[in-house]
Amino acid sequence: MRFPDLLIMSMNNLRRRKLRTVLTVLGVIIGTAAIVVMVSLGIGLNEMTMEQIASWGSLTTIQVSSQNSGGSMQIMGGSSGQKNGDTEPNYITDKVVDSFKKLPHVTGVSPVLTMNVVMRQGAYISTFVQLKGVSQSYLEQLNLGEGRIPASGELGLVFGNGVIRDFANAKTGKGYWDTGEMPDVDPMGKPMFVIFDVDAYYQSQGTAGSLGSSGQETSTVKPPKKYMIETTGMIAGGEDNWNNYSWYVFTDIDGLKDQLRKAFKRGTPIPGQPTNKKGKPLSELVYDSAEVFVDDMDHVTEVQSQLAAMGYQVNSQMDFLESSRQQSNMVQTVLGGIGAVSLFVAAIGIANTMMMSIYERTKEIGVMKVLGCDMGNIRNMFLIESGFIGFMGGLIGVGLSYGVSAVVNRFVNMSQSMGLSGNLSRIPPWLSLAAIGFAVFVGMAAGFMPAVRAMKLSPLAAIRNE
């Protein structure tokens, strides 16, 4: 018997028992929709977590810092030194950066020079701005809301969207954290004055106006020079949106080096830079960290191990991603298992329907055998019926799951409950196809035993059956 004939005969058999078929299909619909929605929740939660981690920084970027960076390079400048003991500090210099570039799977390295500067615009001032000098490859990763990144060698500023909050009125000393109102600072529209010699700035503020023993004013530290620097860009994001780049001001590393040569005379220690035992600056500039760019996420862990073996502290977003993946996979397994229970119950319904069909069609099966119908055709006919029930239930169930998913995304706001953005329930195309295929498989598996039973029925006993 040809397959089209078997298919037509199976459809006619199901059509003759409409109510039973509809109820059985309904069970598959509910089971398929349940498992698809449950798995989609796990997928959505996993993807939202990955998107949030990616917003904190690139997933293929490794942050490298010196083992002694926590104590030897002081924020407010001055002294340096080595780690405890006689071990030579493993500073990150240009030579070290070049050695990082030679590692397998490394596509680029950006030295990072972070220094504290004072910025002022009009009546507002911020005495704790972290200026980061980075490479062009680093700057190209920034998501700008307006403007541009500075060119190579240009001392242009790229403001993080959270930096303005740290400005305060120079007269009252009050800013955003005191009044709740954003300071009237416009980096893109007005000139920004920057003071690089932070030590001299604080010293000039602290000694001005002091009197000696003779009653005359003592010599004061001369206020450091202010430099007017252009702001070329702003990182995207509003007042309530932040990421790893929001609280820094970025500039090109070569432009920053040139500016430091102008701001500090030769032999004068740069605040934040280590010095030798005599208090003199080292012969080469020391970076506080470096960003290592890897070609693929799968190679990040391998490169991290190589950098750690070289004696440097390393971390990346992959550290958080791996733990998040494990948690998401566990949640997804639990949710999928809950949905699978519903489909298992539907499979029992299919098996029951097919067994009832065999008892009702015993004589029909006997006639087919007497007429010489192949045993395999009889088995295939029942398998097609059960598979079609699974197909119809799976197809409609997937459609229902899209509706349920839309309702979930409409009324469940993850940004308020967990700080995540985007749709919670996400149904990728592969999940829809897999759900339909799984429903057909479950249907045919549930109908296999009834099909084998029909194939083994005795022809004479089947014909005599009433």
Side-chain angles (χ1 to χ4, degrees), residues 124 165 167 175-184 239:
Y124 292 90
R165 292 187 178 190
F167 279 78
Y176 173 83
W177 305 109
D178 304 298
T179 63
E181 299 180 359
M182 292 295 291
D184 185 18
E239 297 180 11

Side-chain angles (χ1 to χ4, degrees), residues 104-162:
H105 306 297
V106 173
T107 59
V109 180
S110 170
V112 179
L113 179 59
T114 305
M115 61 182 308
N116 298 317
V117 298
V118 177
M119 290 191 177
R120 182 159 188 167
Q121 186 182 90
Y124 292 90
I125 188 171
S126 178
T127 58
F128 194 76
V129 177
Q130 295 191 64
L131 179 64
K132 279 194 173 188
V134 295
S135 68
Q136 286 292 306
S137 57
Y138 188 110
L139 291 171
E140 290 170 358
Q141 292 186 135
L142 301 179
N143 181 22
L144 298 187
E146 60 177 311
R148 61 176 178 83
I149 63 173
S152 179
E154 177 187 6
L155 188 67
L157 305 178
V158 177
F159 267 71
N161 55 298

Side-chain angles (χ1 to χ4, degrees), residues 350-402:
I350 295 175
N352 179 66
T353 297
M354 300 312 299
M355 289 299 297
M356 292 298 296
S357 178
I358 290 172
Y359 287 127
E360 293 174 355
R361 295 157 58 189
T362 302
K363 184 173 290 188
E364 176 187 336
I365 295 171
V367 171
M368 293 174 64
K369 288 189 174 184
V370 169
L371 294 176
C373 184
D374 185 71
M375 296 295 107
N377 288 335
I378 297 175
R379 179 197 60 204
N380 292 340
M381 180 179 65
F382 283 94
L383 287 177
I384 290 174
E385 290 182 25
S386 59
F388 188 76
I389 291 174
F391 174 75
M392 290 299 298
L395 188 64
I396 300 174
V398 168
L400 177 62
S401 65
Y402 275 99

